[in-house]
Every structure is written in structure tokens, then in C-alpha cells.
Amino acid sequence: GVTTDSADADGEVLETKPVPKDLTEEAFRSICAKFKGPLQQIPPMVSAIKIDGKRLYKLAREGIEVDRPARAVNIHELDVLSFSGTTARLSVKCSKGTYIRSLVTDIGEAIGCGAHVAALRRTYVSPFELRPMIEMATLELMNEEPKSVLDELLLPLDAGLSHLCAVQIAAEQVATFHRGQSPECLVLQEALPALGFEIATGTGSEPLCRVYDENGMLLGLGELSETGERVAPRRVLQMD
């Protein structure tokens, strides 16, 4: 029932309306279900995206509101964890670029009374959902142990790149890649257990790929040629 200028609890209250008396938990769940799947979403004025070269949140601080083009997002999952009549707790799994504040604003408008985000907690970012999370207190205790204990928690450089296809270049081509030239490459079509890393199949629609040497060392990111036979360096790692 409360709408704020930032769509969260930190903003100034713009309007307060009574929650409809017929808003049961079943009705609320039914409204939320309509927001699952692909939808067009208007970013909030307090977002960091740029309009005409200016951050929206900076314009918002000046009291300026501008038209924002809607963006395509996807709400993969939206579960109602609890509902009290005036507050609710949701669990959302969504595509990148989704604004939860905008989602809550839209749900509030669908109810007819408005709403805002009281608290927001990000539980994971893909592709790290299967990685164990460690509390800060535990880390502080581990910091008193030998350095090797903490080192074991570090993820490899390519831990966040599993969505990209992988290519391999021959040993004699590594220097060519480092010089910024485009060596011949082999698109890895299946996992090679000896290398110890995950390999996506095919090239997909995204030409950006991770580039490895014959020993499975990540050399950087590259862009595949149309034929998939050569890779142009885009981000090169210089390893000692």
C-alpha cells in the first residue's frame, strides 16, 4: 500500500493506499503468477543505466524524471514464500537486467494499491549457484590458519565462463595469440577430463569464446571467425 520515489524503503513516500480487503493469499499468488516468463520492464529512475549519457540515479537526485524505454527481461521463477495481507516475501529467479524494484512496483499496481521493496537479498549470481557460500565469521577464523587453507577456496579464472564455448590453440600458436594476431584453433566439442575444466559444445550464437593452450591453461577470451577455424584475441592474459 505504500509507494516511494525509489521503489524501496529508503525513498520518500509518494502515496499510501489501503490494501484491497479482498486480497487473499490465493489472489496475491494469482497476481504474481502473471509476472512469470518474458515481459517488458521499465527501469526505475534510481537505476545506474544511462539515458543520453547520464546515469538515471543522478538525474533522480536532481529531481528530474525522464522517459525510460522498456527492456525485455525474463522471470524464470517467482515463488511466494509468505503473505500477511500487507507484506509478502518472494523468491525470484530472473534474467540479467531485471530490476526487482520494478517488478514489485508492477505487482503493486496490479493489486491496485502500490507496493515497494522493504528488503532485498541476492542469494546467488549465475553460474555460481552451486558454489558453497561461506560466512564472514568463518572466513575470519580460517584467516588464522595457514594461507593454503584460504587458497583452496579460490575459484579458477574461468569459473564464470562456462557459458562460453571453448577453443584450443597449439603450443606454437600461443605467442601469435599473445601478439594480437588470429591463430588457427580447434573448437572443443566434448569434455577432456585430463584438462580438468568444463567445455561447452558447439559455438552457439555467441562468437566470444575462452581460449586454452594444449595443457588446459586459460590464455584469454577470443572471438571466433565465421568458419570457426581461427580465433581473434579480445582479452589476453599475460601469465608469468
Side-chain angles (χ1 to χ4, degrees):
V2 178
T3 304
T4 71
D5 59 358
S6 62
D8 60 24
D10 293 330
E12 297 291 331
V13 175
L14 297 178
E15 191 175 22
T16 301
K17 292 183 178 180
V19 178
K21 294 181 178 179
D22 59 349
L23 183 66
T24 62
E25 181 172 347
E26 182 179 358
F28 179 74
R29 289 180 180 274
S30 178
I31 290 174
C32 288
K34 297 178 181 178
F35 289 89
K36 293 181 181 180
L39 53 85
Q40 295 291 316
Q41 187 181 74
I42 297 177
M45 273 301 302
V46 291
S47 64
I49 65 173
K50 289 183 177 180
I51 299 292
D52 296 330
K54 296 183 178 180
R55 299 284 185 187
L56 285 180
Y57 69 84
K58 290 185 177 180
L59 294 176
R61 290 173 182 171
E62 298 173 8
I64 301 174
E65 184 168 350
V66 297
D67 291 332
R68 290 94 68 197
R71 295 155 54 121
V73 299
N74 199 329
I75 307 299
H76 303 297
E77 298 177 12
L78 200 168
D79 299 319
V80 179
L81 303 181
S82 63
F83 176 78
S84 70
T86 57
T87 62
R89 186 164 176 256
L90 308 178
S91 175
V92 181
K93 184 177 182 180
C94 57
S95 65
K96 66 178 181 180
T98 301
Y99 288 96
I100 300 301
R101 285 171 296 183
S102 292
L103 174 63
V104 169
T105 295
D106 293 341
I107 292 175
E109 290 180 357
I111 294 172
C113 62
H116 71 275
V117 174
L120 179 62
R121 183 168 68 93
R122 189 187 298 270
T123 55
Y124 72 85
V125 177
S126 183
F128 302 107
E129 59 265 38
L130 299 180
R131 306 288 183 177
M133 289 190 284
I134 301 175
E135 295 182 348
M136 183 58 69
T138 302
L139 280 177
E140 290 174 345
L141 289 175
M142 295 177 69
N143 192 42
E144 300 175 2
E145 301 294 329
K147 185 175 182 294
S148 59
V149 175
L150 285 177
D151 286 345
E152 292 179 359
L153 301 178
L154 296 176
L155 300 178
L157 287 174
D158 56 358
L161 304 176
S162 60
H163 61 292
L164 300 178
C165 75
V167 304
Q168 186 182 79
I169 59 178
E172 61 270 19
Q173 296 284 351
V174 172
T176 300
F177 183 77
H178 281 162
R179 287 196 298 266
Q181 298 172 317
S182 303
E184 294 181 350
C185 67
L186 171 67
V187 177
L188 300 175
Q189 298 291 340
E190 57 184 14
L192 302 180
L195 298 183
F197 56 78
E198 206 177 314
I199 298 176
T201 57
T203 61
S205 59
E206 175 57 74
L208 197 65
C209 59
R210 20 182 189 139
V211 183
Y212 297 91
D213 66 11
E214 293 177 340
N215 296 317
M217 176 178 289
L218 180 68
L219 301 175
L221 297 180
E223 187 173 332
L224 278 174
S225 62
E226 291 184 1
T227 62
E229 297 176 348
R230 290 185 176 273
V231 59
R234 290 294 175 260
R235 293 289 184 274
V236 179
L237 297 174
Q238 300 290 351
M239 309 294 287
D240 294 332

